[in-house]
Short mmCIF file of all heavy atoms in Angstrom, two decimals:
data_model
loop_
_atom_site.label_atom_id
_atom_site.label_comp_id
_atom_site.label_asym_id
_atom_site.label_seq_id
_atom_site.Cartn_x
_atom_site.Cartn_y
_atom_site.Cartn_z
N ARG N 11 19.53 2.28 4.04
CA ARG N 11 20.20 1.00 3.76
C ARG N 11 21.72 1.09 4.09
O ARG N 11 22.27 0.15 4.64
CB ARG N 11 20.02 0.61 2.30
CG ARG N 11 18.62 0.12 1.99
CD ARG N 11 18.41 -0.03 0.49
NE ARG N 11 17.09 -0.57 0.20
CZ ARG N 11 16.53 -0.53 -1.00
NH1 ARG N 11 17.15 0.02 -2.02
NH2 ARG N 11 15.32 -1.08 -1.18
N ALA N 12 22.31 2.22 3.77
CA ALA N 12 23.73 2.38 4.06
C ALA N 12 23.98 2.30 5.56
O ALA N 12 24.93 1.65 6.03
CB ALA N 12 24.21 3.73 3.53
N ILE N 13 23.15 2.97 6.34
CA ILE N 13 23.31 2.94 7.80
C ILE N 13 23.11 1.57 8.37
O ILE N 13 23.93 1.04 9.14
CB ILE N 13 22.35 3.96 8.45
CG1 ILE N 13 22.68 5.40 8.05
CG2 ILE N 13 22.39 3.82 9.97
CD1 ILE N 13 21.63 6.41 8.45
N VAL N 14 21.99 0.92 7.99
CA VAL N 14 21.65 -0.37 8.57
C VAL N 14 22.68 -1.44 8.13
O VAL N 14 23.12 -2.29 8.94
CB VAL N 14 20.24 -0.77 8.17
CG1 VAL N 14 19.92 -2.21 8.58
CG2 VAL N 14 19.22 0.18 8.81
N ARG N 15 23.08 -1.38 6.87
CA ARG N 15 24.04 -2.39 6.39
C ARG N 15 25.42 -2.22 7.03
O ARG N 15 26.12 -3.20 7.27
CB ARG N 15 24.11 -2.37 4.86
CG ARG N 15 22.79 -2.85 4.26
CD ARG N 15 22.77 -2.74 2.76
NE ARG N 15 21.40 -3.04 2.26
CZ ARG N 15 21.09 -3.12 0.98
NH1 ARG N 15 21.99 -2.88 0.07
NH2 ARG N 15 19.84 -3.41 0.63
N ARG N 16 25.79 -0.97 7.25
CA ARG N 16 27.06 -0.75 7.97
C ARG N 16 26.97 -1.31 9.38
O ARG N 16 27.90 -1.98 9.83
CB ARG N 16 27.40 0.73 7.97
CG ARG N 16 28.64 1.09 8.83
CD ARG N 16 29.89 0.31 8.45
NE ARG N 16 30.32 0.61 7.14
CZ ARG N 16 31.20 1.61 6.84
NH1 ARG N 16 31.66 2.37 7.80
NH2 ARG N 16 31.58 1.81 5.60
N ALA N 17 25.88 -1.05 10.07
CA ALA N 17 25.69 -1.57 11.44
C ALA N 17 25.69 -3.11 11.43
O ALA N 17 26.28 -3.75 12.30
CB ALA N 17 24.42 -1.01 12.04
N ARG N 18 25.04 -3.65 10.43
CA ARG N 18 25.00 -5.12 10.33
C ARG N 18 26.38 -5.70 10.06
O ARG N 18 26.74 -6.73 10.66
CB ARG N 18 24.02 -5.52 9.22
CG ARG N 18 23.86 -7.01 8.99
CD ARG N 18 22.90 -7.27 7.83
NE ARG N 18 23.02 -8.64 7.34
CZ ARG N 18 22.70 -8.99 6.15
NH1 ARG N 18 22.29 -8.11 5.23
NH2 ARG N 18 22.79 -10.26 5.75
N ALA N 19 27.14 -5.04 9.21
CA ALA N 19 28.46 -5.57 8.88
C ALA N 19 29.38 -5.63 10.07
O ALA N 19 30.24 -6.51 10.18
CB ALA N 19 29.09 -4.71 7.77
N HIS N 20 29.22 -4.69 11.01
CA HIS N 20 30.11 -4.60 12.15
C HIS N 20 29.46 -5.09 13.45
O HIS N 20 30.07 -5.01 14.54
CB HIS N 20 30.61 -3.18 12.37
CG HIS N 20 31.48 -2.67 11.27
ND1 HIS N 20 32.51 -3.45 10.73
CD2 HIS N 20 31.54 -1.50 10.61
CE1 HIS N 20 33.14 -2.77 9.77
NE2 HIS N 20 32.55 -1.58 9.68
N GLY N 21 28.21 -5.60 13.39
CA GLY N 21 27.57 -6.12 14.55
C GLY N 21 27.30 -5.01 15.61
O GLY N 21 27.37 -5.29 16.80
N ILE N 22 26.97 -3.84 15.13
CA ILE N 22 26.71 -2.70 16.01
C ILE N 22 25.23 -2.64 16.36
O ILE N 22 24.38 -2.57 15.49
CB ILE N 22 27.15 -1.38 15.31
CG1 ILE N 22 28.66 -1.39 15.08
CG2 ILE N 22 26.74 -0.16 16.14
CD1 ILE N 22 29.12 -0.31 14.12
N ASN N 23 24.92 -2.63 17.68
CA ASN N 23 23.50 -2.63 18.06
C ASN N 23 23.00 -1.27 18.52
O ASN N 23 21.88 -1.16 19.00
CB ASN N 23 23.22 -3.69 19.11
CG ASN N 23 23.94 -3.43 20.43
OD1 ASN N 23 24.46 -2.33 20.67
ND2 ASN N 23 23.98 -4.45 21.29
N ASP N 24 23.83 -0.24 18.40
CA ASP N 24 23.46 1.11 18.92
C ASP N 24 22.22 1.68 18.26
O ASP N 24 21.53 2.51 18.86
CB ASP N 24 24.63 2.09 18.72
CG ASP N 24 25.89 1.64 19.45
OD1 ASP N 24 26.37 0.52 19.20
OD2 ASP N 24 26.43 2.44 20.29
N ILE N 25 21.93 1.30 17.04
CA ILE N 25 20.83 1.90 16.32
C ILE N 25 19.53 1.12 16.48
O ILE N 25 18.46 1.55 15.97
CB ILE N 25 21.14 2.06 14.81
CG1 ILE N 25 21.26 0.69 14.11
CG2 ILE N 25 22.40 2.89 14.61
CD1 ILE N 25 21.36 0.79 12.60
N ALA N 26 19.56 0.01 17.17
CA ALA N 26 18.41 -0.88 17.23
C ALA N 26 17.19 -0.19 17.86
O ALA N 26 16.07 -0.28 17.35
CB ALA N 26 18.75 -2.17 17.98
N GLY N 27 17.40 0.50 18.95
CA GLY N 27 16.30 1.15 19.64
C GLY N 27 15.65 2.21 18.82
O GLY N 27 14.41 2.33 18.77
N CYS N 28 16.43 3.03 18.10
CA CYS N 28 15.88 4.05 17.23
C CYS N 28 15.09 3.44 16.08
O CYS N 28 14.03 3.98 15.72
CB CYS N 28 17.01 4.95 16.69
SG CYS N 28 16.48 6.33 15.71
N LEU N 29 15.56 2.37 15.52
CA LEU N 29 14.81 1.66 14.46
C LEU N 29 13.47 1.21 14.95
O LEU N 29 12.44 1.34 14.27
CB LEU N 29 15.63 0.52 13.92
CG LEU N 29 16.88 0.87 13.08
CD1 LEU N 29 17.71 -0.39 12.81
CD2 LEU N 29 16.47 1.53 11.77
N MET N 30 13.43 0.61 16.15
CA MET N 30 12.16 0.15 16.69
C MET N 30 11.21 1.29 16.97
O MET N 30 9.98 1.21 16.70
CB MET N 30 12.40 -0.66 17.97
CG MET N 30 13.16 -1.95 17.76
SD MET N 30 13.40 -2.84 19.33
CE MET N 30 14.91 -3.76 18.97
N GLU N 31 11.77 2.40 17.52
CA GLU N 31 10.91 3.54 17.88
C GLU N 31 10.27 4.14 16.63
O GLU N 31 9.11 4.62 16.69
CB GLU N 31 11.75 4.59 18.58
CG GLU N 31 10.99 5.82 19.03
CD GLU N 31 11.87 6.85 19.70
OE1 GLU N 31 13.07 6.56 19.92
OE2 GLU N 31 11.37 7.94 20.02
N HIS N 32 10.97 4.13 15.51
CA HIS N 32 10.48 4.82 14.29
C HIS N 32 10.17 3.81 13.20
O HIS N 32 10.31 4.11 12.02
CB HIS N 32 11.51 5.82 13.82
CG HIS N 32 11.80 6.92 14.77
ND1 HIS N 32 10.98 8.02 14.95
CD2 HIS N 32 12.85 7.09 15.64
CE1 HIS N 32 11.51 8.80 15.88
NE2 HIS N 32 12.63 8.29 16.34
N ILE N 33 9.72 2.60 13.58
CA ILE N 33 9.57 1.53 12.58
C ILE N 33 8.58 1.89 11.50
O ILE N 33 8.73 1.46 10.36
CB ILE N 33 9.21 0.21 13.28
CG1 ILE N 33 9.26 -0.96 12.28
CG2 ILE N 33 7.83 0.31 13.93
CD1 ILE N 33 10.62 -1.19 11.68
N ALA N 34 7.55 2.68 11.81
CA ALA N 34 6.57 3.05 10.78
C ALA N 34 7.25 3.89 9.71
O ALA N 34 7.01 3.70 8.48
CB ALA N 34 5.39 3.80 11.40
N PHE N 35 8.09 4.85 10.08
CA PHE N 35 8.82 5.70 9.12
C PHE N 35 9.77 4.86 8.31
O PHE N 35 9.96 5.07 7.11
CB PHE N 35 9.55 6.79 9.88
CG PHE N 35 10.33 7.74 8.99
CD1 PHE N 35 9.69 8.64 8.14
CD2 PHE N 35 11.71 7.76 9.03
CE1 PHE N 35 10.38 9.50 7.34
CE2 PHE N 35 12.44 8.63 8.20
CZ PHE N 35 11.76 9.50 7.37
N PHE N 36 10.43 3.87 8.95
CA PHE N 36 11.44 3.05 8.26
C PHE N 36 10.85 1.84 7.58
O PHE N 36 11.58 1.02 7.03
CB PHE N 36 12.48 2.58 9.28
CG PHE N 36 13.28 3.67 9.89
CD1 PHE N 36 13.53 3.74 11.26
CD2 PHE N 36 13.84 4.68 9.11
CE1 PHE N 36 14.29 4.72 11.82
CE2 PHE N 36 14.63 5.70 9.66
CZ PHE N 36 14.84 5.70 11.04
N ALA N 37 9.52 1.72 7.52
CA ALA N 37 8.87 0.51 6.97
C ALA N 37 9.34 0.14 5.57
O ALA N 37 9.49 -1.07 5.28
CB ALA N 37 7.36 0.66 7.01
#
């Protein structure tokens, strides 16, 4: 949550691909 919310707060899209690749782990 800390990582995703920080990225969301600053509009950073660098982590989007990793989140999609590991979506089952991050469910």
Side-chain angles (χ1 to χ4, degrees):
R11 286 170 177 165
I13 295 169
V14 172
R15 292 176 188 184
R16 172 56 64 90
R18 180 182 164 206
H20 293 317
I22 296 167
N23 65 12
D24 300 58
I25 67 171
C28 184
L29 289 170
M30 293 180 207
E31 181 182 356
H32 299 281
I33 189 62
F35 180 69
F36 295 134

